[in-house]
Amino acid sequence: MEKVLLKNIENPNSHEINEYEKIGGYRSIRKALEMQPKKIIEEVKKSGLKGRGGAGFPTGMKWAFASADPKFPKYLLCNADEGEPGTFKDRPILEKNPHLLIEGMVISGYALGAQYGYIYLRGEYPDAKDILNRAIKQAYNKNYLGDNILGRGIKFHLVVHQGAGAYICGEETALIESLEGKRGQPRIKPPFPVNVGAWAMPTIVNNVETLSNIPFIIEVGSDAYSKIGSPECPGPKIYCISGHVERPGVYELPMGTRLRDLIYTHAGGIKGGRKLKAVIPGGISTPVLPPDAIDCAMDFVAMSKAGSMLGSGAVIVMDESVCMVKVCYRALKFFEHESCGKCTPCRDGTGWLRKILGRIEQGEGVDGDIELLLDVSNNILGKTFCPLGDGAASVVISMVKHFRSEFEEHIKNAKCKIQN
Ligand code: SF4
């Protein structure tokens, strides 16, 4: 597949506007401005594009809800708060192909009737901030942003807003709270941001990768776009692979590429020829999979049938030297630390899970600890405001499901068989 999202990024000047224009950049804006906003939304709907931030909601449908709301102003927010451990797929777009994102946002803003856009950027990406700000300035100078874009009377302004490093601000309503200058905690839904979002106005929150697909959809049309990838989840997809593989990194491939091919063909297989033990397929909050589950397509539908989630498409590969109890403990330390504290099952539950896992890992586990882990997890699952609680619980449940004997051995032998 020819690269769409990571096209030209080997070029050291790929972030410069002239280089982007040379490879056909900003042509889609001209084409989009010839179209009626409704027609653009229709094309995005027909393309089958699903949100690349993790939830996989159909982008065109989300846009249609916001566009039908008569309230103005409307806002377009780009979620660039890439804080999920194992996830670094948006970074190359932000740092090497920022004009693709800007072009996608201008077209999206026009389609939605939004005149103001924000890129909510992960605080830990200082280089991306400078690169984006420079790219935005270049786009203003060339009249792709401003009060009268390309002399067509269309207005769209864009700014970068840097987060302060809280993982929960990647959740769309917490992102909105933070953008408004408040403490970044999720809001209860409904109402959904498409109707009551930033400053109580209709707001679309889309991920970097989602918005970066828009220029290509406009360029080739929804029919051609939907032929890429899997039928239920079309389009290109950026996967990032980390852990025990020969070639960790970022790969743009058709959506639905098999997990096995990703690990063994693209990432070169398991490092040092060792045996695969486990894969977390979509960032730390997605359920772990055993080696016999890797013959499935990496898309939203197939991964859910396989018992996990595509999430952000961040594949974490672990070989036979890894202690799964330790992985689970580390994950829960993260969730406990990042829990915003708004709801009791998550705030207290992640702490309890971390404590139980800590004592099992230290060889101080007692009979009944595994049942207790499952009991606490089931009392978090489905009972929290936002998906952080569910993510923490399902990591524990899946680890126990696939690697129960390791937890049992830790408790029985009072130590780790693998790492001792
Ligand atoms: S699930 Fe956790 S992170 Fe989400 S709102 Fe509740 S306490 Fe906050």
Side-chain angles (χ1 to χ4, degrees):
M1 187 196 84
E2 206 182 311
K3 283 185 187 161
V4 173
L5 306 164
L6 303 182
K7 189 173 165 184
N8 200 38
I9 66 159
E10 312 304 330
N11 175 344
N13 294 320
S14 62
H15 57 286
E16 298 289 345
I17 199 161
N18 294 339
E19 295 298 319
Y20 182 66
E21 285 178 323
K22 256 191 227 166
I23 57 159
Y26 287 116
R27 262 199 324 234
S28 292
I29 280 193
R30 293 173 202 278
K31 188 170 171 188
L33 296 187
E34 300 291 325
M35 298 160 73
Q36 288 299 314
K38 273 200 164 51
K39 171 76 180 137
I40 298 176
I41 296 176
E42 212 37 55
E43 277 296 287
V44 175
K45 257 190 186 170
K46 272 171 48 196
S47 74
L49 173 66
K50 288 190 161 82
R52 303 298 201 238
F57 192 80
T59 305
M61 200 189 288
K62 195 168 174 180
W63 283 19
F65 292 143
S67 149
D69 195 306
K71 295 195 291 295
F72 281 95
K74 299 180 202 282
Y75 296 102
L76 174 64
L77 312 186
C78 170
N79 187 345
D81 191 57
E82 189 168 51
E84 176 99 339
T87 307
F88 45 92
K89 71 178 180 72
D90 291 339
R91 192 171 180 175
I93 298 180
L94 296 166
E95 292 183 355
K96 313 258 187 200
N97 211 0
H99 287 287
L100 179 69
L101 173 62
I102 295 169
E103 184 173 15
M105 288 192 76
V106 177
I107 297 170
S108 309
Y110 168 64
L112 294 160
Q115 298 181 330
Y116 303 96
Y118 295 86
I119 300 173
Y120 189 99
L121 180 68
R122 180 174 189 200
E124 294 88 340
Y125 280 177
D127 291 348
K129 183 186 166 202
D130 295 343
I131 292 165
L132 280 169
N133 277 327
R134 180 180 160 83
I136 288 172
K137 206 167 160 202
Q138 289 176 338
Y140 269 107
N141 287 343
K142 291 228 175 184
N143 218 4
Y144 296 123
L145 284 168
D147 286 328
N148 184 17
I149 294 171
L150 299 174
R152 300 292 306 270
I154 310 291
K155 172 174 165 178
F156 190 74
H157 290 277
L158 185 57
V159 293
V160 177
H161 180 99
Q162 200 173 15
Y167 169 64
I168 196 57
C169 289
E171 194 281 336
E172 62 175 1
T173 58
L175 184 153
I176 291 170
E177 287 279 297
S178 169
L179 183 71
E180 289 179 354
K182 293 183 242 159
R183 188 172 174 174
Q185 287 191 315
R187 295 177 180 171
I188 298 176
K189 294 192 271 191
F192 291 94
V194 286
N195 299 115
V196 182
W199 299 284
M201 289 295 147
T203 300
I204 285 288
V205 185
N206 281 146
N207 172 257
V208 172
E209 190 185 343
T210 312
L211 291 163
S212 300
N213 269 271
I214 303 300
F216 184 63
I217 293 173
I218 297 301
E219 185 188 334
V220 300
S222 55
D223 284 347
Y225 180 89
S226 61
K227 289 194 175 74
I228 302 169
S230 50
E232 286 165 302
C233 305
K237 174 80 193 99
I238 304 179
Y239 299 101
C240 52
I241 310 185
S242 58
H244 296 134
V245 285
E246 291 286 355
R247 292 191 295 272
V250 178
Y251 296 88
E252 183 182 350
L253 298 163
M255 177 71 99
T257 299
R258 267 192 339 157
L259 183 50
R260 177 181 293 281
D261 295 337
L262 213 50
I263 297 170
Y264 285 95
T265 309
H266 301 285
I270 310 301
K271 212 173 169 101
R274 287 196 292 270
K275 254 172 74 183
L276 173 66
K277 180 166 185 179
V279 187
I280 295 175
I284 196 73
S285 63
T286 58
V288 67
L289 290 173
D292 61 8
I294 64 168
D295 281 303
C296 67
M298 282 286 284
D299 68 27
F300 293 106
V301 179
M303 284 313 288
S304 123
K305 282 185 193 152
S308 188
M309 288 154 70
L310 177 68
S312 55
V315 182
I316 305 168
V317 177
M318 289 164 275
D319 73 13
E320 55 199 330
S321 67
V322 172
C323 166
M324 299 313 286
V325 177
K326 191 178 255 181
V327 172
C328 197
Y329 170 59
R330 290 270 168 85
L332 264 295
K333 258 179 104 169
F334 169 79
F335 287 119
E336 181 193 22
H337 181 258
E338 294 296 343
S339 169
C340 81
K342 185 163 174 162
C343 41
T344 310
C346 171
R347 184 189 59 238
D348 291 354
T350 50
W352 277 110
L353 290 173
R354 191 264 309 150
K355 265 190 207 159
I356 303 163
L357 285 160
R359 71 172 178 248
I360 299 176
E361 204 262 323
Q362 290 296 309
E364 291 160 8
V366 294
D367 283 348
D369 268 355
I370 298 176
E371 286 63 37
L372 192 54
L373 278 178
L374 294 175
D375 187 32
V376 176
S377 300
N378 284 318
N379 276 294
I380 299 175
L381 206 61
K383 297 178 182 72
T384 57
F385 278 101
C386 91
L388 188 143
D390 284 349
S394 50
V395 164
V396 174
I397 293 168
S398 66
M399 288 278 186
V400 172
K401 180 179 167 194
H402 296 296
F403 300 97
R404 189 179 182 112
S405 61
E406 260 185 59
F407 288 78
E408 287 169 346
E409 275 169 21
H410 262 263
I411 295 170
K412 200 170 137 219
N413 304 329
K415 65 176 184 197
C416 176
K417 209 171 89 180
I418 297 155
Q419 298 196 332
N420 280 306

